[in-house]
Amino acid sequence: MRRTVFTRLGGAFLGLFVLTVVTFLMVRLLPGSVEDAMLGTENVTPEARQAFRDRFGLDDPIVVQYVQWISNLVQGDLGNSIRSRQPVTQELTAKLGPSLTLSLVSVMISFCAAITLGTIAALKRDGVVDRLSTLGSIIGSSVPDFVIGLLLIVFVASRFDQFPSFGYEPLSSGLYEWARHLFLPVVAMSASLVGIMTRLMRTSILSTLEEDHVRTAIGKGLSRRRVIALHVIRPSLIPVITTAGLLFVAVIGGVVVIEFVFSIPGLGRLILESIKARDYPLIQGATLLIGVLAIIASILVDFIHRALDPRIR
Amino acid sequence: MRDLGMGVNANAVEAVNTVENANPQAPLLRIRDLRVAYRTEHGPLEVVHGVDFDLQPGESLGIVGESGSGKSTVLLATARLLPSNAVITGGQAQLRGQDLLTADAKALRQVHGPQIGMLYQDSLRALNPVMKIGKQITEVLNAHGAPGVPEDTARDLLRSVGLSDPERLMSQHPHQLSGGMRQRVMTAMSLALSPRILLADEPTTALDVTIQAQILDMLRHRAIETGTAIVMVSHDLGVIANLCQRVLVMYSGRIVEHGTTEEVFSDPQHPYTAALLRSVPRVDRGLRRLPFIEGRPPDPADPPQGCSFAPRCPLVIDDCKQGVPPLVSTGEDREAACLRSDDVNPVRTALTSADKQQLAEHDVDGEQLGSQETVLVIRGLTRHFRIGRGRQAVILRAVDDVDLDIRRGEFLGLVGESGCGKSTLGRMLVGLESADAGTVTMDGQEVTAAKGRAARSMRRFAQMVFQDPRSSLNRRMTVAQHLEEALEHSSTPRAGRGDRLRELVDQVGLPAAALTKLPDEFSGGQVQRIAIARALAVSPQLIVADEAVSSLDVSVKGQIVNLLRDLQSNLGVTVLFITHDLGVCRQVSDRIAVMYLGRLVEVRQTDELFTSPRHPYSRALLSAIPVPDPVAERERERIILTGDVPNPTNPPSGCRFHPRCPVGPSVYPEREICRTIEPQLDDEFHTACFFPHEDIAEDASVELTR
């Protein structure tokens, strides 16, 4: 087990390395010079350009530049944002909280809902829950998130003051404040997630029910509750958890739209605005951050998967 | 531990006791007119048409039949564990007066475990893959409120089925155990509450003969200890003869014969039983061909008029087609469903002597063909696989320094337990696996290192027939397309290919109309014929048949083996017949090579090997095969090997068989040589053993079986 942990972490570091190389090259490979990209083309004197080139060693060989960039990165220095002139790391950490919260809460709530719905749908096949959840899954996963978000604003937020249509409150301002601001965006994000995972859970349960070991469990005279919980649901969870982890990675990248719809000051909005303003240092930093989150998430999923499925240990 | 079940539902037990007291003759289990149907697109399809039988306390009853006979369905219906697409459409199943078929879920939960224990064929699928062994056993104990500490009881149970390290096992998962160990775990689990009845569905079919012998032995002992009655479903008449006192023979959803095992096996009263007994490959009598049953079982959706065996029956008369013959008593505790039950045994005896005559004739053929010319010379052939990566990697010695000469036109059997490397050896001969060391010389030409054109010409030399014919053919290609593809690589001129196609299907006994059909339109035996035709297309010198008949029913198995045998004598093709089934191997092979952990331990003429096996492993292997003769089964001496097949990644030093050997250093400590020096095949007897053909001491084998 310890050995596999090491190999996994080794793989993660390799992934991290590739990620830094790609993000580093991203700016270097852009059309035009780096100083154009980093400083913008307006109101920049030639002296300032040269000063910039000297400061970042842009005339050095590219490997030296990369090493320099990495050593700055390790010290938390990703340069300054062009728009705000603030350090990139500072900008990112300020916006990370809302995005991470929104993504995590959405995935976790969707996961729990999907497990419950999928199980009931599979056990009571062709029953009311099954039909409704199938219909809901199709709608949820086919209607774009932002449409659901807008509908929620029009029909819910406008009528119920408890659920505001914009803004974000950190947990430190109180559980209630936090939850009521988060409620509608989470619902909008979860619609498709619940849809995907419910269908997966339902299929997974149905195939587990056909397995011989379930018959063995019934043949042991166990209670129905125990058979379903330990011999049906538990083995069925494995593919759903793997998918939930992958969805989490996708959600972190895709949170942009919902943050925009609900005016949440998160990472997604920051990226969107940076792209519009061609704020390359920030885009670079944000790419790196999302990449790191994705790597961490995939390692976590891998370990959970191993814990649940002894066959792949 | 004995009466764990008793405390559970005291009321039920008491109620039942009253019934028992009222009628001491009442059977433990009484099945009457049991009918089961499967839901299909075209409405319900009845597959079990009214089955009656009784089971007495402590008795062992066998149900035998081919696939599709409904034998497993009867078992699962009795336990109310049928799959969701099956429904019980009628009848009664009474367990000491309690009707199982009308019992609700709550009542069934009290039956499952303390009253009925289940044992299944595929132990890997039947155990929960993500739950530890210990928990899978303790949950049975907990669910029924067994007294004592569940973990302690579980350890005792694991010990009682012959597992030596229960502490470690408790925290392991099913996939970490070998097939034999898993089957022991399942037995421990199903007998945990000392149930009245153990329902066993082909529990040893997936196991090697040596392990099968261990499990049957263990089952018998445990059943006696717990006083459990056994209903054992099997297609293997030998297994039934070994374990069961009474037997039911089923054919297409009906019981066709019933009686004590001795009587049914020695004096069958239904032609199907007789045919089944005749077509079982027997290790205790030699024939060069396998008798088989013509035709195949009826399609349940389209049953024949009258007796369902009539279309295949050699004794059929007009009355047979008038109505289904009822199961009538033909003697004390004997029943048969045949109008001509008295004529069955005389005909069988006549047929058996006809078989013997056929044997004599074919033996003449065999001698003519048995040339001494060597067609294939294998020297020092070795194949090691690396498993895992980096420092974790281990070397699996699949084939290790094998020497073998194969003679032109011979039928050579290659036998051994699973994992012994016999398939790898076969795959190397047809070029599907490369050699790490050693040479293969075909007709004087070395092919081991051949590449490109030379390697392709080797493919023309040797062809392979696989175990599962369906997955070795493309479902979307017609038979003609398969054969044409193969002909692309033959020397047949393009113009003559149409004739060649017809010739090929004719050689494997299929009509020319088969050419335009897809593989799915054929039965299992026919698909294997197509696979053989494809192998023949390039006119190979050698056909490697890797477990080619193992998945076929007894009655079809004979047809395919005989086909291979005919091809050998008619076309002069050499056959390497790889199998774990020594019975089949004995009946058709000219010579047999016995393989153990990547090495050949004995290569002998078939008759010599079976009459005087020299290597202790060969002897153990031969003695492990159950014979479908209850009297012989009971009386013959048996060497039951202990332990599992050792791991080929870490073979024992010296003679690889020494840790399990009944004449080796574990019994005779002074025989250090077996531990240190690896014996080679000797020139005279072709046996790799330092102490060949030595009497296995009575107490030694007892020591080892325990």
Side-chain angles (χ1 to χ4, degrees):
Chain A
M1 184 66 192
R2 179 178 292 173
R3 203 180 285 266
T4 51
V5 171
F6 279 126
T7 48
R8 281 301 302 166
L9 289 180
F13 274 111
L14 190 70
L16 210 56
F17 172 71
V18 173
L19 181 69
T20 56
V21 171
V22 170
T23 40
F24 169 74
L25 290 178
M26 186 172 81
V27 176
R28 284 347 177 244
L29 295 177
L30 284 172
S33 62
V34 178
E35 62 270 23
D36 284 351
M38 300 302 266
L39 299 176
T41 44
E42 289 158 33
N43 305 326
V44 184
T45 60
E47 293 75 31
R49 275 170 196 276
Q50 195 50 50
F52 183 85
R53 289 193 78 84
D54 291 342
R55 187 175 149 222
F56 290 100
L58 290 181
D59 296 321
D60 292 338
I62 195 139
V63 179
V64 176
Q65 290 184 42
Y66 174 73
V67 173
Q68 183 61 44
W69 183 73
I70 282 286
S71 59
N72 288 342
L73 174 67
V74 173
Q75 292 160 34
D77 179 8
L78 276 164
N80 290 342
S81 159
I82 295 173
R83 273 186 319 131
S84 63
R85 305 284 160 192
Q86 298 292 316
V88 166
T89 34
Q90 192 183 318
E91 289 255 340
L92 287 176
T93 39
K95 310 286 181 174
L96 180 62
S99 298
L100 209 55
T101 312
L102 182 54
S103 309
L104 261 178
V105 170
S106 299
V107 171
M108 278 160 68
I109 287 183
S110 316
F111 179 75
C112 296
I115 296 300
T116 317
L117 282 174
T119 305
I120 298 172
L123 292 179
K124 299 249 158 80
R125 211 174 163 181
D126 295 329
V128 183
V129 177
D130 190 16
R131 280 160 204 274
L132 284 181
S133 76
T134 306
L135 188 69
S137 299
I138 293 169
I139 295 173
S141 47
S142 54
V143 178
D145 291 356
F146 72 89
V147 175
I148 295 175
L150 289 174
L151 289 174
L152 286 172
I153 290 178
V154 172
F155 291 104
V156 183
S158 60
R159 290 176 205 189
F160 303 98
D161 289 344
Q162 294 94 319
F163 303 123
S165 64
F166 62 90
Y168 173 80
E169 287 294 332
L171 199 50
S172 51
S173 18
L175 186 65
Y176 176 70
E177 281 301 310
W178 175 76
R180 79 188 186 99
H181 279 87
L182 214 51
F183 182 76
L184 291 183
V186 163
V187 172
M189 295 260 302
S190 301
S192 60
L193 296 176
V194 175
I196 295 167
M197 287 192 281
T198 303
R199 295 185 68 79
L200 189 67
M201 184 66 185
R202 178 179 180 274
T203 321
S204 186
I205 293 260
L206 284 177
S207 75
T208 307
L209 281 173
E210 294 296 311
E211 301 230 0
D212 289 353
H213 70 80
V214 176
R215 183 180 63 189
T216 309
I218 298 170
K220 292 198 289 197
L222 308 180
S223 67
R224 184 176 155 79
R225 182 188 297 247
R226 188 174 175 96
V227 171
I228 288 173
L230 286 171
H231 295 273
V232 179
I233 295 183
R234 220 203 113 169
S236 305
L237 280 179
I238 295 165
V240 187
I241 288 186
T242 313
T243 310
L246 296 174
L247 284 174
F248 174 69
V249 176
V251 159
I252 286 228
V255 76
V256 179
V257 179
I258 290 299
E259 286 180 5
F260 201 75
V261 171
F262 288 96
S263 313
I264 293 170
L267 215 50
R269 255 183 94 82
L270 184 67
I271 295 172
L272 206 65
E273 281 159 11
S274 311
I275 292 172
K276 276 199 298 190
R278 298 177 140 243
D279 188 347
Y280 288 106
L282 231 169
I283 298 174
Q284 202 176 30
T287 311
L288 206 57
L289 179 63
I290 290 178
V292 169
L293 286 176
I295 289 175
I296 293 174
S298 68
I299 292 180
L300 279 179
V301 167
D302 204 57
F303 284 131
I304 295 173
H305 194 169
R306 272 164 206 281
L308 282 176
D309 191 348
R311 284 166 297 185
I312 59 163
R313 258 172 219 162
Chain B
M1 224 167 63
R2 182 65 43 90
D3 282 314
L4 291 179
M6 294 302 281
V8 182
N9 45 354
N11 290 338
V13 172
E14 208 164 292
V16 173
N17 278 342
T18 330
V19 175
E20 263 181 4
N21 292 342
N23 184 358
Q25 292 303 306
L28 181 57
L29 182 69
R30 177 202 289 270
I31 307 285
R32 287 294 173 270
D33 196 33
L34 180 67
R35 289 171 186 275
V36 183
Y38 282 94
R39 293 193 199 97
T40 69
E41 293 166 40
H42 315 291
L45 179 65
E46 195 175 85
V47 291
V48 173
H49 316 284
V51 160
D52 303 327
F53 68 88
D54 289 343
L55 181 73
Q56 305 299 333
E59 182 187 36
S60 57
L61 173 72
I63 305 182
V64 70
E66 292 177 272
S67 53
S69 63
K71 56 190 191 303
S72 297
T73 308
V74 167
L75 204 69
L76 292 176
T78 307
R80 291 284 303 277
L81 290 170
L82 284 169
S84 54
N85 62 337
V87 270
I88 297 168
T89 48
Q92 287 182 312
Q94 287 183 336
L95 176 70
R96 299 193 300 172
Q98 180 190 8
D99 192 353
L100 294 174
L101 302 190
T102 56
D104 61 5
K106 190 166 168 244
L108 279 179
R109 277 201 293 277
Q110 292 176 343
V111 168
H112 291 146
Q115 306 288 335
I116 294 182
M118 297 295 298
L119 204 54
Y120 305 96
Q121 172 177 355
D122 187 345
S123 56
L124 186 60
R125 291 175 53 94
L127 292 170
N128 187 337
V130 298
M131 191 185 274
K132 286 178 180 163
I133 300 291
K135 201 169 170 196
Q136 300 202 39
I137 296 176
T138 52
E139 71 174 358
V140 187
L141 302 168
N142 288 329
H144 299 280
V149 181
E151 282 72 22
D152 293 343
T153 315
R155 275 187 282 269
D156 288 343
L157 284 165
L158 286 172
R159 239 173 254 123
S160 74
V161 293
L163 290 165
S164 54
D165 192 0
E167 199 57 53
R168 209 165 84 99
L169 278 172
M170 294 281 281
S171 58
Q172 284 186 307
H173 287 92
H175 72 280
Q176 292 169 290
L177 311 185
S178 69
M181 287 165 84
R182 275 199 302 268
Q183 202 57 267
R184 286 175 191 270
V185 167
M186 263 226 290
T187 310
M189 209 166 82
S190 50
L191 293 178
L193 302 167
S194 305
R196 304 276 152 169
I197 307 174
L198 179 68
L199 301 180
D201 187 4
E202 305 255 13
T204 60
T205 304
L207 304 172
D208 277 310
V209 275
T210 51
I211 309 297
Q212 167 172 287
Q214 293 176 2
I215 299 289
L216 289 176
D217 210 47
M218 180 272 292
L219 258 182
R220 192 185 0 257
H221 285 122
R222 279 298 290 156
I224 292 169
E225 278 168 36
T226 54
T228 301
I230 298 180
V231 181
M232 166 94 123
V233 158
S234 181
H235 72 283
D236 188 335
L237 293 164
V239 169
I240 299 278
N242 178 293
L243 192 77
C244 301
Q245 295 152 352
R246 279 195 306 138
V247 62
L248 301 170
V249 183
M250 281 192 74
Y251 186 75
S252 85
R254 285 191 182 83
I255 293 175
V256 293
E257 183 162 3
H258 160 233
T260 62
T261 315
E262 277 94 354
E263 283 180 340
V264 171
F265 282 32
S266 62
D267 174 26
Q269 294 182 339
H270 193 283
Y272 176 64
T273 316
L276 213 52
L277 282 168
R278 208 164 70 88
S279 59
V280 176
R282 296 271 302 257
V283 283
D284 57 343
R285 52 162 208 214
L287 288 181
R288 275 297 172 269
R289 297 170 65 82
L290 277 175
F292 57 89
I293 310 174
E294 293 286 353
R296 48 188 171 121
D299 180 355
D302 182 25
Q305 282 278 309
C307 173
S308 52
F309 188 63
R312 305 170 82 183
C313 183
L315 299 178
V316 65
I317 50 173
D318 284 346
D319 287 352
C320 295
K321 292 169 182 162
Q322 299 309 316
V324 178
L327 191 65
V328 291
S329 174
T330 55
E332 196 188 334
D333 211 15
R334 292 254 8 219
E335 291 169 299
C338 181
L339 300 176
R340 302 187 60 188
S341 54
D342 290 342
D343 303 334
V344 172
N345 205 33
V347 172
R348 177 178 83 116
T349 321
L351 281 174
T352 310
S353 49
D355 290 340
K356 288 209 173 109
Q357 205 165 355
Q358 203 182 19
L359 153 76
E361 285 162 20
H362 275 267
D363 249 14
V364 176
D365 285 349
E367 268 164 37
Q368 281 166 353
L369 278 163
S371 70
Q372 291 297 308
E373 187 196 348
T374 309
V375 69
L376 194 79
V377 181
I378 300 168
R379 285 293 172 269
L381 199 61
T382 300
R383 179 73 175 130
H384 292 176
F385 295 101
R386 273 174 77 86
I387 305 213
R389 279 181 302 173
R391 273 189 297 154
Q392 276 172 290
V394 285
I395 305 293
L396 188 154
R397 296 159 188 273
V399 175
D400 213 8
D401 194 16
V402 163
D403 293 349
L404 182 66
D405 290 346
I406 300 180
R407 297 171 195 156
R408 187 178 300 284
E410 81 170 333
F411 202 109
L412 176 66
L414 179 60
V415 298
E417 288 163 300
S418 53
C420 74
K422 54 190 193 301
S423 287
T424 309
L425 179 57
R427 292 168 64 87
M428 285 164 84
L429 296 186
V430 298
L432 283 174
E433 206 73 72
S434 61
D436 291 330
T439 57
V440 178
T441 314
M442 290 175 175
D443 261 350
Q445 199 185 352
E446 196 192 314
V447 292
T448 331
K451 288 202 171 64
R453 182 182 292 270
R456 278 198 293 280
S457 81
M458 180 175 92
R459 302 259 152 86
R460 275 211 286 281
F461 186 96
Q463 280 287 313
M464 191 141 183
V465 177
F466 298 92
Q467 172 168 10
D468 182 358
R470 249 177 243 287
S471 65
S472 71
L473 296 174
N474 185 335
R475 309 177 53 162
R476 293 183 220 295
M477 277 165 66
T478 63
V479 174
Q481 284 170 330
H482 276 110
L483 298 180
E484 274 163 11
E485 191 180 54
L487 285 176
E488 287 290 315
H489 306 281
S490 76
S491 51
T492 317
R494 204 164 280 276
R497 287 197 185 160
D499 290 337
R500 180 75 176 127
L501 291 185
R502 279 185 290 280
E503 189 188 9
L504 283 170
V505 287
D506 185 56
Q507 277 174 348
V508 297
L510 290 174
L515 282 170
T516 56
K517 292 187 182 167
L518 292 169
D520 284 353
E521 296 175 63
F522 297 93
S523 69
Q526 289 172 321
V527 179
Q528 195 57 287
R529 286 174 190 270
I530 297 166
I532 293 172
R534 181 175 60 176
L536 287 175
V538 295
S539 309
Q541 305 264 336
L542 173 71
I543 288 184
V544 176
D546 188 3
E547 301 279 10
V549 298
S550 304
S551 56
L552 301 174
D553 260 318
V554 210
S555 65
V556 188
K557 201 177 266 189
Q559 299 177 11
I560 300 299
V561 172
N562 291 347
L563 171 65
L564 285 171
R565 191 78 207 177
D566 289 341
L567 294 173
Q568 179 227 10
S569 43
N570 299 339
L571 304 177
V573 58
T574 310
V575 179
L576 179 65
F577 189 73
I578 301 174
T579 183
H580 69 278
D581 188 337
L582 276 158
V584 174
C585 205
R586 154 145 217 203
Q587 289 209 306
V588 297
S589 303
D590 300 317
R591 281 199 308 155
I592 293 180
V594 183
M595 200 162 175
Y596 186 78
L597 274 186
R599 303 272 302 169
L600 293 180
V601 296
E602 186 160 1
V603 186
R604 303 275 299 281
Q605 295 290 337
T606 304
D607 293 340
E608 283 176 25
L609 178 72
F610 276 82
T611 47
S612 62
R614 295 178 58 82
H615 197 284
Y617 176 64
S618 313
R619 297 163 68 191
L621 211 52
L622 297 185
S623 85
I625 314 164
V627 185
D629 180 340
V631 182
E633 256 316 279
R634 210 163 306 133
E635 287 170 1
R636 77 203 174 96
E637 260 184 80
R638 200 185 305 270
I639 310 159
I640 296 181
L641 292 178
T642 46
D644 268 321
V645 186
N647 190 342
T649 55
N650 187 18
S653 64
C655 174
R656 294 185 182 186
F657 185 56
H658 84 252
R660 295 168 88 192
C661 184
V663 299
S666 6
V667 184
Y668 301 99
E670 71 279 10
R671 293 184 171 171
E672 257 319 296
I673 184 170
C674 300
R675 281 191 229 268
T676 49
I677 300 173
E678 185 157 12
Q680 304 293 322
L681 289 176
D682 64 71
D683 288 339
E684 193 183 352
F685 294 109
H686 303 286
T687 306
C689 181
F690 294 115
F691 305 97
H693 205 210
E694 188 166 297
D695 273 342
I696 293 167
E698 188 76 7
D699 54 334
S701 70
V702 168
E703 177 69 27
L704 281 168
T705 36
R706 206 169 50 215

